């Protein structure tokens, strides 16, 4: 069998590691950033341990400019500089690779691609099987019988045979494809208006660039003109994309062979970096006792559950024995297994219970054909009373899901008083994950059994009711066991922080049941309204598309950022103002800056808005209606946002636009499920400004709110020094923009764009504003000063958020952190307020058995379904509960609107 050589594209994987999504900031005990270092290291360890290659090297770019810049000075000229905190991590990575005895190859003026090409070419000629670890499409030109690409994350292998099957071309022909399409991120010219699809089609048809040029007259339209005009620059483009396979890099295949780790060096490095989990996994020796950085320090001596007692309860006798034990238990963890991740569609498959570490019980009520299991009715009769007993407390991980599943199965759950996911969120809302597996790894250094081990993945994935009950017991009982252990650990953490404990016990945990009820209620939809809107939107999108093509004199995929960038910046000559990870950015902020440069930009913004409405809401909402209930049941999440606000998913109702007529029309599709019902909306009026007035103690604002004045017109009268009757609409709009903008830390640049004035005018306007309302400026300064001192801020109910980079030497990062600090206090307090209101309202509904359903929570608005002849009766007390939820120094106001749909019609 041939030996194997794996070549890692070093810089590519390092950058991918640096930009990988992660909510938690990774730093060493000394404060050194370690995210890229940690993720890259774990990737190499995974490759090393799972693939076990014969030889392994890492190719890196030269520290000197590429030889290609001599050919073409614009080559990669517009790439953004390396992030400030990355060079030190690259140095650490090279130290780790040295300790792992993995060679790092560099060659002056050559890029990693060239080193990879040279090494792969020579190795394959020696009969070695080469695997290039890179996602860079340029590498595909290197494929041959022995050279393949390998994805470390997925394990996918791609070779020349796969290329021929997928693209119908050879690796040599792929060079021509790259040449024709060019590369905007590297500034390789290519042929204007020609993207990957067209370039591939041309080479598939003509075989080569040379033959394509012989038949250039056959290519019609603008692309044909561009092709014929590009003949001189094509040779240059080809030289730029062609990987050099003859670089003077040192080749010593004996040194490339794996020789084992230098565990002493690795132990020292990992200890310095705080990689304690890797130290444990690799059994490295270290003398340092620094607190680990990538995980929070957990309980000692619990790295693995080497012994456990997980019992399968699949007979009536065993069930009776378990029930006898449970009657003497005051609190236990519970988890459910189902055949769907949607709790309103899921069937109950099994229940697991634990009240002591390393012990757990699994009760299957569904199982593979012929497998012994419990009857659901028997579980209802015997376990049901215990689950419904408020005095017996229950613990769960995302227990809202279990509440819904058990309720739908006829097993209502009462006494749910501790959710480990919610507790983790209260303690650290910025934590990268509040999932059970992640917390078990971080707090106990324990790896939970993967669900994929049971049900598989992809098209062959099983549902849980088809899993062998012994295996299901091991998995599910472990979930309950770990959940109970997390309860004990997190409860101790909360006990040390009284304010957070109070927030958890009095707000966040009661809210879990409220959200479960709201999700259970769901909302009815009028699909006829959606179908009518869909037809209208489709027509408008087609019209916009035609106008965009007309103005740009070309047809392209408007939804493709790459193609749009080529049209805007190359074809139309607009100036690129921002670079993204994939090249020149065309996001909304960039397009808004360019909107005055060319009329097509505004059309693209309109196109995107309408496409989002069509794809995200109008076409999708109807497909999400639950066939069992005939209603839409969105999920409301309380452990996602850093400020404490709720988010929603499946669908995301928080993002339905309400500033446009079309956006508002979507609301008209939300209707009562009963012909005698109506929709009532209760919306806090200017809640964030009222909170700002409360916190700043500004007397003028407080007086204006107390007198129920138009706050924007009132502020305008003070800023412009005129009577309130003389305030024009333009004056009011400017002050409205500042009123809301200061909450989000908007500066002169943002204000100038919002209201269409120069930055100097905006700067002067903001200065005048703060001169008049210096108490607001003092409040903001105090928040920032406290954040700088404590590295966190608190909301009105003591919700806490860490403020990263508040002491950063980087002014941009520091300014952003300061905005986060102020915004969190205001928005987080607004979140506290509406959560308390929701809890109080639902309690009244339950206590008095009122015919009112809380069906949605969107930003500062609560939406209800109730009888249309009882609007005044219930609208009054709902408004009172909302305005009295938390006492402020300024009065709260709620706008009540009702009608046959959510829009109020």
């Amino acid at each position: 069998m041939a030996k194997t050589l794996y070549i890692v594209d070093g810089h590519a994987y390092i950058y991918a590691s640096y930009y990988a999504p992660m909510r938690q900031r990774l730093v060493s005990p000394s404060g050194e950033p370690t995210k890229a270092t940690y993720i890259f290291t774990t990737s190499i360890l995974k490759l090393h341990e799972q693939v076990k290659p014969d030889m392994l090297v890492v190719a890196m770019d030269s520290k000197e400019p590429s030889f290609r810049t001599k050919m073409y000075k614009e080559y990669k000229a517009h790439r953004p500089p390396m992030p400030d905190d990355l060079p030190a991590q690259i140095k650490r990575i090279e130290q780790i690779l040295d300790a792992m005895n993995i060679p790092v190859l560099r060659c002056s003026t050559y890029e990693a691609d060239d080193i990879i090409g040279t090494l792969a070419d020579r190795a394959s000629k020696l009969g070695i099987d080469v695997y290039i670890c890179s996602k860079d499409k340029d590498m595909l030109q290197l494929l041959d019988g022995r050279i393949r690409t390998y994805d470390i994350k997925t394990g996918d292998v791609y070779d020349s045979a796969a290329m021929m099957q997928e693209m119908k071309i050879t690796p040599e022909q792929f060079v021509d494809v790259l040449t024709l399409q060019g590369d905007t991120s590297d500034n390789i010219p290519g042929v204007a208006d020609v993207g990957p699809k067209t370039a591939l089609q041309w080479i598939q048809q003509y075989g080569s660039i040379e033959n394509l040029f012989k038949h250039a007259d056959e290519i019609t339209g603008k692309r044909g003109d561009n092709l014929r005009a590009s003949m001189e620059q094509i040779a240059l483009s080809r030289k730029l994309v062609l990987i050099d396979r003859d670089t003077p890099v040192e080749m010593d295949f004996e040194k490339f062979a794996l020789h084992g780790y230098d565990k002493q060096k690795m132990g020292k490095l990992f200890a310095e970096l705080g990689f304690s989990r890797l130290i444990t996994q690799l059994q490295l020796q270290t003398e340092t006792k620094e607190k680990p950085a990538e995980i929070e320090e957990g309980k000692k001596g619990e790295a693995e559950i080497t012994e456990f007692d997980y019992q399968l309860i699949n007979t009536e006798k065993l069930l009776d024995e378990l029930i006898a034990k449970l009657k003497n238990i005051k609190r236990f963890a519970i988890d459910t297994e189902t055949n769907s991740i949607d709790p309103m569609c899921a069937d109950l498959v099994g229940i697991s219970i634990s009240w002591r570490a390393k012990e757990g019980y699994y009760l299957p009520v569904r199982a593979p054909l012929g497998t012994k299991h419990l009857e659901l009715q028997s579980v209802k009769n015997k376990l049901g009373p215990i689950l419904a007993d408020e005095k017996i407390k229950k613990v769960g991980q995302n227990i809202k899901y279990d509440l819904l599943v058990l309720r739908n199965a006829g097993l209502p759950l009462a006494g749910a008083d501790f959710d480990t996911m919610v507790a983790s969120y209260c303690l650290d809302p910025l934590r990268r994950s509040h999932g059970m597996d992640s917390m078990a790894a971080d707090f106990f250094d324990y790896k939970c059994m993967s669900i994929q081990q049971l049900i598989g993945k992809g098209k062959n994935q099983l549902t849980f009711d088809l899993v062998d009950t012994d295996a299901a017991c091991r998995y599910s009982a472990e979930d309950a066991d770990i959940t109970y252990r997390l309860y004990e650990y997190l409860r101790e953490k909360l006990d040390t922080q009284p304010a957070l404990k109070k927030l958890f016990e009095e707000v966040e945990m009661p809210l879990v049941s409220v959200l479960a009820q709201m999700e259970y209620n769901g909302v009815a939809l009028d699909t006829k309204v959606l179908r009518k809107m869909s037809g209208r939107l489709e027509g408008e999108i087609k019209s916009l598309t035609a106008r965009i093509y007309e103005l740009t004199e070309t047809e392209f995929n408007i939804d493709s950022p790459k193609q749009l960038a080529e049209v805007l910046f190359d074809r139309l000559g607009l100036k690129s103002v921002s670079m993204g990870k994939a090249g020149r950015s065309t996001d909304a902020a960039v397009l808004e800056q360019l909107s005055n440069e060319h009329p097509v930009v505004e059309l693209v913004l309109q196109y995107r808005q309408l496409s989002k409405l069509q794809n995200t809401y109008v076409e999708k909402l109807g497909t999400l209606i639950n066939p069992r209930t005939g209603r839409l049941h969105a999920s409301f999440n309380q452990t996602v946002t850093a400020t404490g606000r709720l988010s929603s998913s499946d669908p995301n109702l928080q993002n339905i636009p309400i500033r446009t007529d079309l956006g508002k029309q979507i609301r008209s599709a939300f209707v009562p499920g009963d012909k005698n019902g109506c929709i009532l909306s209760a919306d806090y009026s200017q809640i964030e400004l009222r909170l700002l007035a409360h916190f700043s103690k500004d007397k003028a604002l407080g007086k204006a709110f107390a007198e129920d004045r138009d706050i924007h017109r009132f502020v305008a009268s003070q800023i412009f020094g005129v009577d309130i009757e003389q305030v024009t609409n333009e004056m009011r709009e400017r002050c409205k923009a500042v009123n809301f903008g200061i909450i989000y830390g908007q500066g002169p640049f943002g204000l100038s764009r919002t209201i269409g004035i120069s930055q100097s005018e905006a700067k002067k306007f903001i200065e005048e504003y703060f001169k008049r309302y210096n108490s607001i400026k003092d409040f903001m300064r105090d928040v920032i000063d406290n954040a700088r001192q404590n590295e966190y801020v608190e909301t009105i109910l003591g919700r806490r958020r860490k403020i990263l980079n508040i002491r950063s030497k980087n002014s941009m990062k520091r300014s952003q952190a300061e905005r986060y600090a102020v915004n969190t206090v205001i928005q987080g307090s607004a979140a506290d307020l509406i959560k308390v209101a929701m809890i109080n309202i639902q309690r009244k509904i339950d206590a008095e058995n009122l015919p009112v359903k809380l069906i949605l929570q969107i930003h500062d608005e609560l939406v209800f379904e109730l009888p249309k002849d009882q609007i005044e009766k219930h609208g009054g007390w709902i408004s009172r509960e909302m305005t009295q939820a938390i006492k402020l120094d300024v009065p709260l106001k709620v706008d009540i609107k009702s009608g046959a749909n959510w829009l109020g019609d």
Side-chain angles (χ1 to χ4, degrees):
M1 183 181 291
K3 289 190 174 182
T4 57
L5 167 65
Y6 282 71
I7 312 171
V8 178
D9 186 348
H11 272 98
Y13 265 97
I14 290 171
Y15 266 87
S17 301
Y18 183 84
Y19 287 110
M22 180 176 284
R23 293 181 64 194
Q24 189 177 31
R25 181 169 176 255
L26 298 189
V27 293
S28 72
S30 63
E32 174 185 346
T34 60
K35 176 185 172 184
T37 310
Y38 181 74
I39 295 176
F40 181 89
T41 301
T42 54
S43 296
I44 296 296
L45 286 168
K46 178 182 178 182
L47 176 65
H48 199 300
E49 299 299 322
Q50 293 186 5
V51 177
K52 295 182 170 43
D54 296 310
M55 293 170 278
L56 176 61
V57 299
V58 175
M60 301 284 277
D61 290 339
S62 167
K63 295 180 180 179
E64 297 84 10
S66 168
F67 70 88
R68 291 177 176 82
T69 57
K70 293 181 180 179
M71 299 183 198
Y72 185 54
K73 66 178 181 179
E74 295 299 314
Y75 179 68
K76 294 188 177 181
H78 299 311
R79 282 210 171 179
M82 184 180 290
D84 293 341
D85 57 346
L86 190 52
Q89 295 190 71
I90 292 176
K91 184 177 180 180
R92 282 293 199 181
I93 286 169
E94 292 187 8
Q95 291 173 350
I96 291 169
L97 291 171
D98 177 63
M100 295 175 72
N101 290 314
I102 297 174
V104 175
L105 301 184
R106 272 198 181 89
C107 190
S108 179
T109 74
Y110 289 92
E111 297 175 63
D113 294 10
D114 304 309
I115 296 171
I116 293 170
T118 302
L119 183 53
D121 187 59
R122 295 185 191 177
S124 68
K125 289 175 181 175
L126 293 173
I128 298 170
D129 286 336
V130 179
Y131 295 84
I132 300 170
C133 302
S134 176
K135 294 182 181 179
D136 188 346
K137 65 182 185 301
D138 293 353
M139 294 297 164
L140 300 183
Q141 64 183 277
L142 300 174
L143 302 180
D144 69 12
R146 289 194 176 274
I147 302 175
R148 308 163 180 87
T149 62
Y150 179 81
D151 189 322
I152 297 176
K153 184 177 181 181
T154 64
D156 292 339
V157 175
Y158 193 83
D159 57 17
S160 55
M163 173 183 276
M164 178 56 72
Q165 184 177 359
E166 178 187 333
M167 300 186 189
K168 311 301 182 191
I169 60 171
T170 66
E172 292 79 10
Q173 290 175 309
F174 189 67
V175 177
D176 287 352
V177 174
L178 293 173
T179 301
L180 292 169
Q181 72 184 48
D183 190 327
T184 54
S185 64
D186 288 349
N187 279 358
I188 297 175
V191 178
D193 292 334
V194 171
K197 185 178 178 180
T198 301
L200 179 59
Q201 289 173 346
W202 282 353
I203 297 304
Q204 286 171 339
Q205 182 176 354
Y206 295 102
S208 68
I209 287 178
E210 290 76 10
N211 196 41
L212 172 64
F213 278 133
K214 289 178 183 177
H215 296 82
D217 291 340
E218 298 174 11
I219 310 297
T220 59
K222 189 69 175 178
R223 287 197 181 108
D225 295 338
N226 292 342
L227 173 65
R228 290 181 284 276
S230 68
M231 289 185 179
E232 293 183 6
Q233 70 180 24
I234 280 295
L236 170 63
S237 295
R238 185 180 178 83
K239 288 180 181 178
L240 293 173
V241 302
L242 191 65
I243 291 175
D244 190 327
R245 305 191 197 191
D246 192 28
T247 62
V249 64
E250 182 182 350
M251 298 281 177
D252 187 340
F253 288 97
E254 289 187 10
K255 288 185 179 178
F256 299 163
L258 294 177
H259 298 292
Y261 307 147
D262 184 331
K263 290 196 172 185
Q264 186 173 356
K265 271 188 184 180
M266 287 179 69
K268 183 176 183 297
L269 284 168
F270 286 3
E272 290 175 4
L273 295 167
F275 294 171
S276 63
R277 204 179 329 160
L278 297 182
I279 290 172
T280 301
Q281 289 174 358
L282 299 171
Q283 298 181 330
L284 303 178
Q285 297 298 318
T286 174
E287 295 180 0
T288 182
K289 294 183 180 179
E290 292 278 12
K291 180 181 176 181
E294 88 279 18
I295 62 173
E296 188 174 338
E297 190 173 17
K299 295 184 177 180
K300 304 299 180 182
E302 293 187 337
E304 295 184 18
I305 299 180
T306 54
E307 296 179 4
F308 55 83
D309 181 12
Y310 296 159
Q311 296 183 34
L312 178 62
I313 309 299
N314 61 353
T315 68
E316 291 299 313
K317 180 182 177 184
L318 291 171
L319 178 61
D320 290 339
E321 291 174 358
L322 175 62
I323 297 301
K325 293 179 182 178
L326 280 173
K327 288 180 178 178
N328 298 315
I329 300 298
K330 294 182 179 179
R331 182 189 305 272
F332 60 83
I334 186 168
D335 185 57
T336 57
E337 302 302 340
T338 67
N339 55 8
S340 171
I341 60 173
D342 182 345
M344 293 301 295
C345 291
D347 294 314
L348 180 66
V349 175
I351 300 171
S352 56
I353 288 170
S354 176
W355 60 85
R356 191 178 295 117
K358 304 182 185 181
E359 291 184 12
Y361 303 84
Y362 178 61
L363 292 67
V365 296
R366 288 172 180 257
L369 189 64
T371 304
K372 190 186 300 182
H373 63 87
L374 300 172
E375 294 298 325
L376 179 58
Q377 189 57 51
S378 176
V379 174
K380 286 182 182 179
N381 294 339
K382 296 177 180 180
L383 182 63
I386 292 175
L387 297 185
D389 190 341
E390 180 89 29
K391 296 177 183 177
I392 301 175
K393 303 304 179 185
K394 286 84 178 181
V395 175
Q397 165 74 14
N398 188 20
I399 204 167
K400 173 163 64 73
Y401 178 90
D402 305 303
L403 284 165
L404 289 168
V405 168
L406 291 168
R407 180 174 180 176
N408 286 325
L411 285 160
L413 184 69
D417 80 332
F418 200 101
D419 188 318
T420 51
M421 183 174 74
V422 175
S424 171
Y425 172 75
C426 285
L427 287 164
D428 184 4
L430 293 183
R431 189 185 145 74
R432 61 187 173 88
S433 171
H434 304 289
M436 185 191 72
D437 289 3
S438 174
M439 287 192 285
D442 289 357
F443 302 153
F444 309 139
D445 208 8
Y446 177 74
K447 185 176 181 181
C448 295
M449 187 177 181
S450 166
I451 185 65
Q452 279 75 30
Q453 292 176 245
L454 292 183
I455 65 174
K457 56 184 178 180
K459 62 181 181 180
N460 296 320
Q461 188 177 76
L462 302 174
T463 51
F464 205 88
D465 53 331
L466 298 177
V467 174
D468 175 78
T469 52
D470 287 326
C473 175
R474 168 70 175 85
Y475 172 82
S476 189
E478 179 187 71
D479 279 1
D481 171 21
I482 295 298
T483 298
Y484 194 79
R485 292 171 61 209
L486 285 171
Y487 152 71
E488 293 182 316
Y489 175 78
L490 294 168
R491 183 193 59 193
E492 289 181 10
K493 290 282 186 182
L494 285 169
D495 285 343
T496 65
Q497 301 191 53
L500 289 181
K501 182 180 180 181
K502 183 178 181 181
L503 175 75
F504 172 76
E505 292 179 345
E506 297 183 7
V507 179
E508 294 297 341
M509 271 314 301
L511 184 68
V512 172
S513 297
V514 176
L515 296 180
Q517 181 64 54
M518 187 165 71
E519 290 183 18
Y520 183 84
N521 290 338
V523 60
L525 289 176
D526 186 340
T527 54
K528 291 180 183 177
V529 171
L530 295 174
R531 284 196 295 271
K532 186 176 178 180
M533 281 193 69
S534 181
R536 177 184 170 188
L537 283 169
E538 187 177 346
E540 294 196 23
I541 290 169
K542 283 183 178 179
S543 175
L544 279 170
T545 301
R547 291 168 63 193
I548 289 169
Y549 288 166
E550 181 182 353
L551 283 174
T552 58
E553 297 183 352
T554 186
E555 293 187 10
F556 63 101
N557 183 358
I558 305 170
D559 296 313
S560 166
K562 183 176 186 296
Q563 291 186 38
L564 179 61
E566 289 170 352
V567 170
L568 294 180
F569 306 129
D570 298 334
R571 187 179 187 86
L572 300 181
L574 302 184
K575 186 178 179 182
S576 174
V577 296
S578 177
M579 292 292 290
K581 296 175 189 177
R584 295 170 295 182
S585 175
T586 58
D587 64 17
V590 169
L591 294 185
E592 285 172 8
Q593 290 185 60
L594 297 172
S595 58
N596 294 326
E597 302 295 320
H598 196 284
V600 77
V601 178
E602 183 59 38
L603 295 182
V604 171
L605 284 168
Q606 292 177 30
Y607 171 91
R608 283 186 175 177
Q609 184 182 53
L610 295 187
S611 295
K612 182 178 180 181
L613 285 176
Q614 179 81 309
N615 299 329
T616 307
Y617 298 110
V618 177
E619 289 189 347
K620 188 177 180 182
L621 285 175
T623 67
L624 297 175
I625 294 175
N626 188 306
R628 296 180 180 179
T629 65
R631 296 170 74 92
L632 175 73
H633 301 269
S635 294
F636 289 84
N637 315 302
Q638 65 188 113
T639 62
V640 175
T641 69
T643 60
R645 281 197 178 274
L646 297 176
S647 67
S648 65
S649 55
D650 303 318
N652 181 359
L653 299 174
Q654 310 285 347
N655 283 350
I656 294 179
I658 57 172
R659 294 183 180 178
T660 63
D661 288 337
L662 279 170
K664 290 177 182 177
Q665 285 303 314
I666 293 175
R667 290 191 167 204
S668 66
F670 289 75
V671 296
D674 188 315
K675 64 180 181 179
N676 295 317
C678 75
I679 301 294
L680 183 144
S681 164
D683 192 1
Y684 278 116
S685 173
Q686 299 171 335
I687 185 58
E688 291 173 345
L689 290 178
R690 292 173 191 268
L691 283 164
L692 183 63
H694 167 79
F695 284 121
S696 67
K697 309 297 183 187
D698 188 273
K699 293 181 179 179
L701 285 180
K703 186 173 185 292
F705 278 125
E707 295 173 356
D708 196 21
R709 296 196 182 193
D710 179 331
I711 195 65
H712 305 307
R713 196 169 292 279
F714 172 79
V715 170
S717 71
Q718 293 204 315
I719 297 297
F720 290 102
V722 298
D723 290 338
I724 198 163
E725 293 79 12
Q726 296 177 301
V727 173
T728 65
N729 288 337
E730 182 183 1
M731 292 177 181
R732 183 185 184 278
E733 286 304 306
R734 287 192 177 189
C735 288
K736 181 179 179 180
V738 177
N739 280 337
F740 286 116
I742 57 173
I743 296 170
Y744 301 99
Q746 190 178 60
F749 176 70
L751 180 62
S752 68
R753 286 172 53 195
T754 301
I755 59 178
I757 61 177
S758 68
Q759 287 193 49
S760 58
E761 288 179 292
K763 183 174 184 291
K764 184 177 180 183
F765 194 83
I766 291 173
E767 288 172 352
E768 287 296 321
Y769 183 96
F770 281 126
K771 188 175 179 181
R772 178 62 188 81
Y773 296 103
N774 55 8
S775 55
I776 294 177
K777 191 170 186 178
D778 291 344
F779 157 70
M780 295 171 68
R781 185 192 61 240
D782 289 344
V783 169
I784 292 167
D785 287 346
N786 287 334
R788 191 171 292 116
Q789 180 179 347
N790 301 319
E791 292 192 309
Y792 65 81
V793 293
E794 289 183 330
T795 67
I796 196 167
L797 293 185
R799 184 185 309 280
R800 199 173 274 189
R801 177 187 180 180
K802 295 176 185 175
I803 303 297
L804 307 177
N805 298 315
I806 192 68
R807 300 174 184 169
S808 175
K809 294 180 181 178
N810 183 309
S811 60
M812 289 184 64
K813 290 182 178 179
R814 188 174 62 252
S815 296
Q816 184 184 55
E818 291 172 354
R819 290 195 296 272
Y820 285 163
V822 175
N823 178 245
T824 297
V825 173
I826 301 295
Q827 275 207 358
S829 296
D832 290 348
L833 175 68
I834 201 164
K835 286 178 177 180
V836 172
M838 292 171 73
I839 293 165
N840 293 342
I841 287 169
Q842 189 61 50
R843 281 176 178 164
K844 183 175 176 68
I845 291 172
D846 294 340
E848 300 179 22
N849 196 26
L850 300 175
V852 178
K853 291 179 181 177
L854 174 58
I855 57 175
L856 297 173
Q857 189 277 327
I858 309 294
H859 303 302
D860 304 318
E861 177 183 11
L862 298 180
V863 184
F864 301 86
E865 184 176 338
L866 64 154
K868 58 186 176 184
D869 59 355
Q870 297 184 32
I871 292 172
E872 290 188 15
K873 175 182 177 181
H874 297 299
W877 71 261
I878 287 172
S879 178
R880 285 194 299 276
E881 289 290 354
M882 291 178 71
T883 56
Q884 296 171 10
I886 297 176
K887 183 172 176 55
L888 301 182
D889 292 342
V890 296
L892 293 176
K893 182 180 179 182
V894 173
D895 295 326
I896 298 288
K897 187 166 63 173
S898 62
N901 55 52
W902 186 12
L903 187 60
D905 295 343

